[in-house]
Amino acid sequence: MATLLFRLANVTDEEAWEVRRLLDEHGFDTYETQAGFWRLGVDAIWLRDPAQLEAAREVLERYQVERQARVQQEHADRVAQGDAPTLWRRLWQHPVQMLLVALAVLAMLALTLVPFLGLI
């Protein structure tokens, strides 16, 4: 019976590609499933042979530790260079989008609070 090895939901294409390559390089017998149109399934990589489960999890654990360190270093480098995304930078780059989001938040607050303020 197949065993769920790695969920692909909320995973970047780069990370999914790296995991596929890593599992293939180590010779693990895997297959993928898609969640489908209605999203009732699960986007995941499954291991066909349960006997390989422990080794596959060790390989993935090492990969995730290395990836976390690499991504944190890249973020730290971007912060040091002043290139890290911030609220003000996003506001400056997308003023219309930020204004629409702010207006939507204000509209939701107004609809939520108006009954309690007795304005209706």
Coordinates of all heavy atoms in Angstrom, one line a residue, residues 65-79:
V65 N 16.0 20.7 6.0 CA 17.0 21.5 6.8 C 17.9 22.4 6.0 O 18.1 23.5 6.2 CB 17.8 20.6 7.7 CG1 18.9 21.3 8.4 CG2 16.8 19.9 8.8
E66 N 18.4 21.8 4.9 CA 19.3 22.5 4.0 C 18.6 23.6 3.3 O 19.1 24.8 3.2 CB 20.0 21.6 3.0 CG 20.9 20.6 3.6 CD 21.3 19.5 2.6 OE1 20.9 19.5 1.4 OE2 22.1 18.6 3.0
R67 N 17.4 23.3 2.8 CA 16.6 24.4 2.1 C 16.2 25.5 3.1 O 16.3 26.7 2.7 CB 15.3 23.7 1.5 CG 14.5 24.8 0.8 CD 13.3 24.2 0.0 NE 12.4 25.1 -0.5 CZ 12.7 25.8 -1.6 NH1 13.8 25.6 -2.3 NH2 11.8 26.7 -2.0
Q68 N 15.8 25.2 4.3 CA 15.5 26.2 5.2 C 16.7 27.2 5.5 O 16.5 28.4 5.5 CB 15.0 25.6 6.6 CG 14.6 26.7 7.6 CD 14.2 26.1 8.9 OE1 14.4 24.9 9.2 NE2 13.6 26.9 9.7
A69 N 17.8 26.6 5.7 CA 19.0 27.4 5.9 C 19.3 28.3 4.7 O 19.7 29.4 4.8 CB 20.2 26.5 6.2
R70 N 19.2 27.7 3.5 CA 19.5 28.4 2.3 C 18.5 29.6 2.1 O 18.9 30.7 1.8 CB 19.4 27.5 1.1 CG 19.8 28.2 -0.2 CD 19.8 27.2 -1.4 NE 18.5 26.9 -1.8 CZ 17.9 25.7 -2.0 NH1 18.6 24.7 -1.7 NH2 16.7 25.6 -2.4
V71 N 17.2 29.3 2.3 CA 16.2 30.4 2.1 C 16.3 31.5 3.1 O 16.2 32.7 2.8 CB 14.8 29.7 2.1 CG1 13.7 30.8 2.2 CG2 14.6 28.9 0.9
Q72 N 16.7 31.1 4.4 CA 16.9 32.1 5.4 C 18.1 33.0 5.1 O 18.1 34.2 5.3 CB 17.1 31.4 6.8 CG 15.8 30.9 7.4 CD 16.0 30.2 8.7 OE1 17.1 29.9 9.1 NE2 14.9 30.0 9.4
Q73 N 19.1 32.4 4.5 CA 20.3 33.1 4.2 C 20.0 34.1 3.0 O 20.4 35.2 3.0 CB 21.5 32.2 3.8 CG 22.8 32.9 3.4 CD 23.3 33.7 4.6 OE1 23.3 33.3 5.7 NE2 23.7 35.0 4.3
E74 N 19.2 33.6 2.0 CA 18.8 34.5 0.9 C 18.0 35.6 1.4 O 18.2 36.8 0.9 CB 18.0 33.7 -0.1 CG 18.9 32.7 -0.9 CD 18.0 31.7 -1.8 OE1 16.8 31.9 -1.8 OE2 18.6 30.8 -2.4
H75 N 17.1 35.4 2.3 CA 16.3 36.5 2.9 C 17.2 37.5 3.7 O 17.0 38.7 3.5 CB 15.2 35.9 3.8 CG 14.4 37.0 4.4 ND1 13.5 37.7 3.7 CD2 14.3 37.4 5.7 CE1 12.9 38.6 4.5 NE2 13.4 38.4 5.7
A76 N 18.1 36.9 4.4 CA 19.0 37.8 5.2 C 19.8 38.7 4.2 O 20.1 39.9 4.5 CB 19.9 37.0 6.1
D77 N 20.3 38.1 3.1 CA 21.0 38.8 2.1 C 20.2 40.0 1.5 O 20.6 41.1 1.3 CB 21.6 37.9 1.0 CG 22.6 37.0 1.5 OD1 23.2 37.2 2.6 OD2 22.9 36.0 0.8
R78 N 18.9 39.6 1.2 CA 18.0 40.6 0.6 C 17.7 41.8 1.6 O 17.6 42.9 1.2 CB 16.7 40.0 0.2 CG 16.9 39.1 -1.0 CD 15.6 38.6 -1.5 NE 14.8 39.6 -2.2 CZ 13.6 39.5 -2.6 NH1 13.0 38.4 -2.5 NH2 13.0 40.5 -3.2
V79 N 17.6 41.4 2.9 CA 17.4 42.4 3.9 C 18.6 43.3 4.0 O 18.5 44.6 4.1 CB 17.1 41.8 5.3 CG1 17.1 42.8 6.4 CG2 15.7 41.2 5.3

